[in-house]
Amino acid sequence: MSALRLLSSAARRAPSTLAQQRRGYAEVADKISLSLVLPHQAIFTSKDVVQVNVAAATGDMGILANHVPSIEALRPGMIEVIESGNASKKWFASGGFATVHPGNKLTINVVEAAPLESFSSEAVRANLQEALKVAAGNGSEEDKMEARIEADVYEALQHALGSK
Amino acid sequence: MSSATWRNFFTYNKYAQITARAVRQSLKESERVVAEKRGTTALKYQQWENGVGGPQVLLNPEEVKKVGKSAAV
């Protein structure tokens, strides 16, 4: 008897949730509100965007509207923002955190970031060679680890600049 | 964060400063000058005793001198 009552109440609830999840394919109806901020500059402040691709420490991820709330540490890598249609803008960030808040909001806090056009491939190549030399040399473990971290950043930068 | 063993040597803050410095050093010449200024930190401290202040000591004078006095950014 109670099972029947449960079934009828569930049936009453189901149609409303189905209506909420209907999405069109011609144009994306849902956007996520992005705030991409640096300590010295706010690149985006609560801007509605379609998709944001970030390089999380656990792997590359693309964040769409209504993403589950999560906190992801970012590794030095590319942040790609797709505002509408196919146009996308890319930045390279030194690392930070991407936080999806309940209520469809995404906050990305990074220490240092710049558009890909602001980087110089020759500088990256020279820096990488320098860092690899120190990392393979005979300094202290701390210095070698520092150089290893820098080399990782330069390698990620080269990858980002190469696949522009 | 491929070399995840940095945790044995640095705090996360130090790690973030290292990666930020690497990014700043890879910018094009015009933007790099402005960016490098963001990376400098200068600390002055002064020891007080019995209500009298000692000399003010600059923690890293060579680095600060390298950047020099700048006009408003």
Side-chain angles (χ1 to χ4, degrees), chain A residues 40-86:
Chain A
H40 53 272
Q41 181 197 3
I43 300 181
F44 287 108
T45 314
S46 298
K47 180 87 175 22
D48 278 340
V49 298
V50 171
Q51 180 176 348
V52 184
N53 296 329
V54 295
T58 51
D60 295 346
M61 60 191 292
I63 302 172
L64 296 165
N66 303 316
H67 194 279
V68 64
S70 48
I71 303 177
E72 294 284 342
L74 303 178
R75 40 168 225 275
M78 208 154 66
I79 298 178
E80 185 179 358
V81 177
I82 301 169
E83 290 185 62
S84 62
N86 281 328

Side-chain angles (χ1 to χ4, degrees), chain A residues 74-79 91-96 110-114 119 153, chain B residues 23:
Chain A
L74 303 178
R75 40 168 225 275
M78 208 154 66
I79 298 178
W91 285 266
F92 187 89
S94 73
V110 295
V111 180
E112 191 67 61
F119 290 98
V153 177
Chain B
V23 170

Side-chain angles (χ1 to χ4, degrees), chain A residues 25-158:
Chain A
Y25 290 97
E27 175 154 345
V28 175
D30 291 342
K31 293 193 181 179
I32 189 165
S33 169
L34 165 71
S35 294
L36 172 56
V37 289
L38 281 51
H40 53 272
Q41 181 197 3
I43 300 181
F44 287 108
T45 314
S46 298
K47 180 87 175 22
D48 278 340
V49 298
V50 171
Q51 180 176 348
V52 184
N53 296 329
V54 295
T58 51
D60 295 346
M61 60 191 292
I63 302 172
L64 296 165
N66 303 316
H67 194 279
V68 64
S70 48
I71 303 177
E72 294 284 342
L74 303 178
R75 40 168 225 275
M78 208 154 66
I79 298 178
E80 185 179 358
V81 177
I82 301 169
E83 290 185 62
S84 62
N86 281 328
S88 81
K89 295 193 203 147
K90 299 184 182 167
W91 285 266
F92 187 89
S94 73
F97 286 89
T99 312
V100 184
H101 306 271
N104 203 17
K105 285 215 294 238
L106 169 61
T107 310
I108 304 182
N109 300 307
V110 295
V111 180
E112 191 67 61
L116 288 187
E117 302 83 51
S118 307
F119 290 98
S120 143
S121 321
E122 301 83 47
V124 178
R125 199 162 28 86
N127 288 335
L128 176 60
Q129 281 178 347
E130 179 80 35
L132 287 176
K133 221 184 330 159
V134 177
N138 44 8
S140 69
E141 277 306 309
E142 211 181 281
D143 288 340
K144 297 210 313 194
M145 183 54 68
E146 225 178 278
R148 184 66 250 175
I149 295 173
E150 291 200 18
D152 285 345
V153 177
Y154 299 133
E155 281 169 0
L157 246 177
Q158 281 193 326

Side-chain angles (χ1 to χ4, degrees), chain A residues 5-26:
Chain A
R5 214 176 298 141
L6 217 59
L7 197 60
S8 55
S9 59
R12 241 180 286 130
R13 264 185 274 126
S16 55
T17 53
L18 276 176
Q20 254 178 346
Q21 288 171 0
R22 199 182 310 138
R23 285 170 64 134
Y25 290 97

